[in-house]
Amino acid sequence: MRILQVIASMDPKHGGVCQGIRNTIPELQKMGIESEVVCLDDPKADYLGQDSFVIHALGKSKKLWGYHKDLIPWLLANFSRYDVVVVNGLWLYQSHAAIKAMLTYRKTHDVSPKIYVMTHGMLDPYFQTAKDRKLKALRNDVYWKVLENKVVNEADGILFTLRRRIVARSHHISKLQT
């Protein structure tokens, strides 16, 4: 099995999401599962090239929201190489781009990888109610109505972390409400 991890950045300064990937991939390798990462980092960044897995760094996005013109074309050209795509995180361009690319890909291909969204706690109600996050909560509300609800509802499954375990909610059981 081959997995593609999609993430905005593998820069360790950005916190736990990229570290989660760095912790997970070696464990998957022990089970014979190959993994690669595509991210929107500068390919010359000093933190790249030190991992035991392939990272496709498409270049640093200079735009708010992490928009990068090359992500969707890269995904469309490479989906056939993977069995599973895991989109890491919400609220940035990579989640929208991955779902948009997959929906486009599935229009012309009978076989496609399953696509899952790993929320990394980003749907926790705390982030919408915390007093010091009112502006981000408003932004997330707008993003949800325009983009992120499609990401969650079009994915084949959603991965949540819960007390150090990963659990999946299958798209086939029921769709999340928008």
Side-chain angles (χ1 to χ4, degrees), residues 82-86 102 106 112-116 156 172:
Y82 305 99
D83 302 298
V84 172
V85 174
V86 177
M102 185 60 71
R106 288 179 175 171
S112 67
K114 294 287 187 186
I115 189 163
Y116 297 93
D156 292 304
H172 302 290

Side-chain angles (χ1 to χ4, degrees), residues 81-109:
R81 300 177 41 228
Y82 305 99
D83 302 298
V84 172
V85 174
V86 177
V87 179
N88 288 274
L90 298 169
W91 316 122
L92 292 172
Y93 179 69
Q94 87 283 348
S95 60
H96 166 73
I99 290 296
K100 184 175 179 179
M102 185 60 71
L103 293 174
T104 299
Y105 186 83
R106 288 179 175 171
K107 288 178 184 175
T108 57
H109 294 79

Side-chain angles (χ1 to χ4, degrees), residues 43-58:
K44 296 176 186 171
D46 61 353
Y47 51 86
L48 296 176
Q50 300 173 22
D51 296 292
S52 63
F53 50 88
V54 174
I55 298 177
H56 304 277
L58 301 184

